[in-house]
Every structure is written in structure tokens, then in C-alpha cells.
Amino acid sequence: MALQSTTALATVTLQAASSTVTFSGIPNTYRDLILVSDVKNINGENYNTYVRINGDTGNNNPSVIMQGNSSGATSFTRNTDGAAQIGWTDNQDNSIIITQFLDYSATDKHKTILSRNNTRAVRVTAHAIRWTNTNPITSLQVFVEASGTLAAGSTFSLYGRIA
Amino acid sequence: MIKSALQSSLTNDVKYNSMSVGNLPSSEYLIQTTLVGATPAATVEFSDLGQYAGVYRHLQLVFVSRGNRSSADTSDIYVQFNGDTGANYNSHYLRGNGSAMESVAYTSSNNNGVFLSQANTGAIQTANSFAVAIIDILDPFETTKFKTVRALAGVTGVVNRIFLHSGAWRNTASLTSITLDDTAGNFTQYSRFSLYGVV
């Protein structure tokens, strides 16, 4: 019998503004993780939005990004933020960010991550990110740059997928 | 047990204060996973898919792969349907390489499959870096339309790539097999290929 592949692990809906949202104690019984964020900040437009993996604050998340905005389509790399940038948020409308952590529980590879971001604040983006660590992912912390704040009403849903 | 730092709101008296919230109904099912062992694999095939016609509406293929193309940091992959090696595929991609954007189209001159340019690593890509892709194959069992494919893919290391791919197999036959072929190398150990059915 075919196995249902995806399990909803947790959903957080912010009742009040918060600096971070953390999923910890993630079990290694799935193959992939999917984080769906419907999120706004209280700070302003075009705020970098991050996921910190396993509390790693080092610049261990090299990424390549492509984006489209009113200026055209561009691509750039980054690895200076001490976390994986998964998109941008603003303080007017919710951004949708879908981030997939593939083979997150494997110990034989770095963790390659794909993220897609749609935000009213001027851009649509896609990201490929690599957490340069062979440890399984056990925690994910979402936050906004420059000590920004996630707005009340933002939701974060974490799913595990088997393989 | 996972402890979320912030709890969700009460909804219908169900409070999610634990990661063990129980399974919710899912419309996606695992069909098969292939893991590459110590012997590199030239191709990976999902066969006998005709049994799923009438069961699933769409398919999703997820891979995490590394290749051994000699002296190269990337390698290309064909996604071939029903063993068709004819000039029956179209492929396009939008690609970011970390400094510029590229947009490319491959037309009927492209045989062997939907062409995923640089979707695998080569032997000299950064150690432990694996390329990943999530490929949607829409209405694969319909006999009234060609088969449309879209993909999100990427890799980082000595070479950085982020892709949006689209493609088509210009055939109305119901899908019976999918073959992934590294065009210039093999898939190496710890590569993983998973096929899911979506109702």
C-alpha cells in the first residue's frame, strides 16, 4: 500500500509580534522538510528573512539567488549573514515563502535547500542554499534582519516528507 | 518530541503544542525511492508506471544527486519518458549563476529527453555538495495532451546555479516510465531519487 508521504509536524501562528519562531527537536525520521511561511514584519519593506539551522551562526550558508523586480532579472550570491536567507518580507502585505530542506536528516552530504519567495515588496525570488554541515537538521529558527520583528498573524507550518 | 518555541492559536479546541500533532490527510503518496550505492549509476529508471493511471493525477520527482563527470563541476540530465529517444522534447530554462541571468530554449533538435542543463554536479564540484531538483510532471497519464514538466533546481559550490525549468514531451501516450540520464557521467553514491504520486 502506498504511503502518504507528507506529515504536518507543527504550525505556529503568532498571536503577538515576535523576534523569532523556532522549531526544535526535529526528528530524523523523515527525508525532507518543507517550511511554508506566510509572513509579514513590522519594520518595513524588503527586509531579509532568514532561517538559522541548528543554531549555527557562522557564515555556513552559501547561496545563489535569482530575482525579478521592476529593474529586471538579476542573480547574485551571498554568505555573509550567519544564516540562510530564504526570502524577503515587508510590513504591508504578507510574503509567501516555501522552503524545502532536502535530505535534511542525511549524514553523508551537506544540506541543499531550495526556497521560493513571493513578496509584494517589489520582487519574486528563487534561492539555492547549502548548509555546509553533514549533521542532521534538528532545529530551524526564522527571523528578520537587523533585529527586526515578525508581525502578529504570521504563520509558519513545518512538514516532514518520507522517501 | 519537538517543542515549538511558540504555540499556534487554539483552533476548534485543538492546540498544537507538540510536533506530534498526528497525521493530516495527504494527497501525496510515495511511489518509489532509489538510492545510489557504491557503484555509480549511469541512469535511474522508474518503470511500470502504467499501474498508477487512474490512481494519481500528477507525479512529482525529487532528486538529490552528485555526478562523476570527469574534470567538470556540473553535468546535464535528460528526463526521458517511455524510452523515447526521438526529437520529441522541448526544454527551456531561466538560470541564475550568481552574477547574471540566462534564458535558453531547446527545441526539437533535443533528443533523449527534457533537458535539465547543469542539473547535476560534476566530479570537481565542492565536496559534499549535491544538486537538487523538484520536478512536477502534470497529467502524465492523460491521453489527450502532451506531457508538461516544470522544475525548480539548484546547487552551490565552486559553481552556483538556481534554475526554473520547463519542458514538454510531445506525445499523448500515457506515461509508463521515467528515465534520468546524466549525459556525460554517472550518478554517484548517496544520490537519491524519489517519485511521488499526487491524487
Side-chain angles (χ1 to χ4, degrees), chain B residues 125-139:
Chain B
Q125 175 61 295
T126 301
N128 293 308
S129 173
F130 280 65
V132 299
I134 301 168
I135 305 169
D136 294 320
I137 305 166
L138 305 175
D139 281 347

Side-chain angles (χ1 to χ4, degrees), chain A residues 50-82:
Chain A
Y50 299 97
V51 166
R52 178 162 288 138
I53 300 171
N54 287 16
D56 184 358
T57 58
N59 290 328
N60 299 315
N61 301 274
S63 66
V64 55
I65 299 165
M66 65 175 174
Q67 67 172 11
N69 58 22
S70 59
S71 300
T74 57
S75 179
F76 52 95
T77 59
R78 64 193 307 162
N79 186 24
T80 57
D81 307 312

Side-chain angles (χ1 to χ4, degrees), chain A residues 2-15 18 20-27 30-32 62-67 73-77 100 102-103 108-116 126-130 134 158-159 161-163, chain B residues 1-9 16 18-26 28-30 33 35 56 60 62 64 94-101 126-130 132-134 150 152-157 160-164 190 192 194 196:
Chain A
L3 298 173
Q4 289 184 342
S5 59
T6 305
T7 300
L9 300 180
T11 289
V12 172
T13 301
L14 293 180
Q15 301 304 297
S18 176
T20 64
V21 167
T22 301
F23 298 91
S24 58
I26 299 171
Y30 301 95
R31 193 81 192 193
D32 305 322
S63 66
V64 55
I65 299 165
M66 65 175 174
Q67 67 172 11
T74 57
S75 179
F76 52 95
T77 59
Q100 304 210 31
L102 300 168
D103 273 12
D108 48 35
K109 55 177 71 79
H110 292 171
K111 309 305 179 288
T112 306
I113 301 156
L114 295 175
S115 191
R116 290 192 65 177
H127 308 235
I129 308 159
R130 179 169 50 95
T134 58
L158 187 65
Y159 303 87
R161 180 168 58 189
I162 61 171
Chain B
M1 178 176 295
I2 297 173
K3 295 181 180 179
S4 176
L6 290 167
Q7 300 171 351
S8 70
S9 60
Y16 300 112
S18 166
M19 293 297 276
S20 301
V21 295
N23 290 343
L24 296 178
S26 170
E28 182 187 83
Y29 295 81
L30 173 65
T33 286
L35 300 175
Y56 303 118
Q60 185 175 82
V62 176
V64 181
L94 183 65
R95 179 173 72 193
N97 64 12
S99 59
M101 292 295 298
T126 301
N128 293 308
S129 173
F130 280 65
V132 299
I134 301 168
R150 70 171 194 175
L152 174 64
V155 65
T156 75
N160 298 296
R161 297 287 186 267
I162 177 71
F163 294 91
L164 289 170
Y190 310 126
R192 161 232 166 179
S194 297
Y196 300 91

Side-chain angles (χ1 to χ4, degrees), chain A residues 23-159:
Chain A
F23 298 91
S24 58
I26 299 171
N28 63 359
T29 48
Y30 301 95
R31 193 81 192 193
D32 305 322
L33 293 175
I34 304 166
L35 176 66
V36 180
S37 307
D38 184 353
V39 55
K40 191 165 64 173
N41 68 61
I42 67 171
N43 307 100
E45 286 192 353
N46 280 323
Y47 269 59
N48 296 324
T49 304
Y50 299 97
V51 166
R52 178 162 288 138
I53 300 171
N54 287 16
D56 184 358
T57 58
N59 290 328
N60 299 315
N61 301 274
S63 66
V64 55
I65 299 165
M66 65 175 174
Q67 67 172 11
N69 58 22
S70 59
S71 300
T74 57
S75 179
F76 52 95
T77 59
R78 64 193 307 162
N79 186 24
T80 57
D81 307 312
Q85 188 195 6
I86 58 172
W88 282 262
T89 58
D90 78 39
N91 61 342
Q92 297 298 311
D93 299 302
N94 283 37
S95 299
I96 303 299
I97 308 175
I98 299 175
T99 309
Q100 304 210 31
F101 305 81
L102 300 168
D103 273 12
Y104 80 97
S105 58
T107 58
D108 48 35
K109 55 177 71 79
H110 292 171
K111 309 305 179 288
T112 306
I113 301 156
L114 295 175
S115 191
R116 290 192 65 177
N117 171 214
N118 298 76
T119 177
R120 182 202 69 85
V122 190
R123 67 182 92 201
V124 57
T125 68
H127 308 235
I129 308 159
R130 179 169 50 95
W131 183 49
T132 59
N133 196 306
T134 58
N135 288 334
I137 294 176
T138 58
S139 72
L140 299 172
Q141 181 185 59
V142 183
F143 63 97
V144 177
E145 70 170 281
S147 299
T149 305
L150 301 164
S154 298
T155 65
F156 305 86
S157 299
L158 187 65
Y159 303 87

